[in-house]
Amino acid sequence: MKKLLSTILAAAMVLSLFSVALAEETVTLRFSWWGGDSRHEATLAAIARYEELNPHVKIEAEYQGYDGYNEKILTQLSGGTQPDMFQIIGTISADYYASFPDRIARLDEQELFDLTGFEKAFLDSFCVSNEGYIVSVPTGINSYNFILNKTVEEKTGVEVPDSWTWEEFIEVGKAMHEADPNCYLITLSDDPANHLLRSYVRQMTGLWTISEDNTVITDRDALVTAFTWLQALYTEGVCEPVESSRAYSEITTNKKLLNNEVAMIYGGSSAIANIDTSNGMQLDFANIPMIPGAEKTGVITQPAQCMMISNNENTEETLKFANWFFNDPEAALILKDSRGVPAVDSVRNLLAAEGLLNPILANAVSAALEVTDGPVYVLNENAEVYSFLFPLMEQLCYLAITPEEAADMLIEELPLIVEGLV
């Protein structure tokens, strides 16, 4: 009997030790994002802290600049090798879920990741599938503004006004270049140029380039006006020449910007954190031009990015990590505003109280929210659409085609591309 009892006790001890081993078994998660150095550093620090708090979790960080990121994620989703948590652009959640519904978690059907701190309007506008499931969360609130280098204003003696028209934009740029031939009002790459033109056309017509019914804008006069404006940026010395401006994959690394020879860049306000100001640069923000009386402002306010979680064997642990990453005060103090103004209300209030929210970023977002337009329809951000629009605009900037030719090409050719996407 004693021998039997000893055997039972020994077996129980082995089973107990086996259970503990299982409980402490290491789980490896993959987390993917794009961004600049400040975002990378903050995110890596947050990952390291979470691993300290949860020794059984190992998180593999996969990060890079923006170029090629979306293509990489789409390739991984197609092959079922996507990361457990991954950052996506802020307007494409429904499109991703429609293409890969079995590989993306429905966040409104779980209880481990608290969503109550996110603004419902943002979730409804940007983070739901066509069926109404919540399939992503916003990483932060971002606005599209000009990021202004006030040092160039001081150098040239030409100030950027608080409000201006598209014609006045040209005049300010000409005056700045005439005051100092080495200086330009703005530098543009493909994506910012496309965003600016899209907003200009929106103010003129009330339409985005592609509307939600998948129709392409056909207002030739409005397109010619916008394309003429873009071309004038280069012919009038308002914008840094194409030959030098397109040499940088990341606009925040532009040499003339860092040398205080470019007054503005255009893009998401969260890019403020990625600009090296060590050369005496004083930053602020400026509003986009506005057509007096325009019914639609073309001012874009959207998630800085969104975050998706994979539907796989690691979903439970990933949800726990996401809950800490987005909601925990300690995580908030590490991440700060590395992904824009935080989307969770309590986190935003904490950073403001601690003086950790970049005041220029916060002011830029607040100014944009006052006049924000509706969400940009997702097809406007499609890679195939970009592959048509970007070369078209580049030909304009090199003066290889006229604004009239560009308008006709867009009206004739873009609908065929959209037709193949829907």
Side-chain angles (χ1 to χ4, degrees), residues 8 26 28 30 41 56 71 123 135 150 202-203 218 223 245 257 261 294 316 320 350 362 386 395:
I8 293 173
T26 300
T28 300
R30 292 166 54 216
E41 291 166 5
H56 68 291
E71 292 77 9
L123 291 177
V135 295
K150 293 184 71 65
R202 175 77 164 175
Q203 290 178 20
T218 57
L223 290 172
S245 65
L257 173 70
E261 294 177 336
E316 183 174 325
K320 293 176 184 177
L350 172 63
Y386 279 174
Q395 290 182 75

Side-chain angles (χ1 to χ4, degrees), residues 338-351:
S338 59
R339 285 179 169 79
V341 176
V344 173
D345 185 61
S346 61
V347 170
R348 194 161 57 246
N349 292 338
L350 172 63
L351 294 187

Side-chain angles (χ1 to χ4, degrees), residues 240 248 251-262:
E240 179 188 5
Y248 305 94
I251 198 168
T252 55
T253 64
N254 180 287
K255 184 177 179 180
K256 291 188 76 67
L257 173 70
L258 299 178
N259 286 343
N260 295 316
E261 294 177 336
V262 166

Side-chain angles (χ1 to χ4, degrees), residues 14 97 129 174 191 220 231 383:
V14 170
Y97 185 82
S129 69
K174 288 168 61 177
D191 193 51
R220 186 176 187 271
Q231 207 167 63

Side-chain angles (χ1 to χ4, degrees), residues 29 130 217 233 262 270 297 301 306 311 335-336 353 362 369 409:
L29 307 179
N130 296 328
I217 188 168
L233 297 184
V262 166
S270 60
T297 66
T301 306
C306 285
N311 179 30
L335 293 164
K336 303 183 179 69
L369 284 172
M409 290 168 67

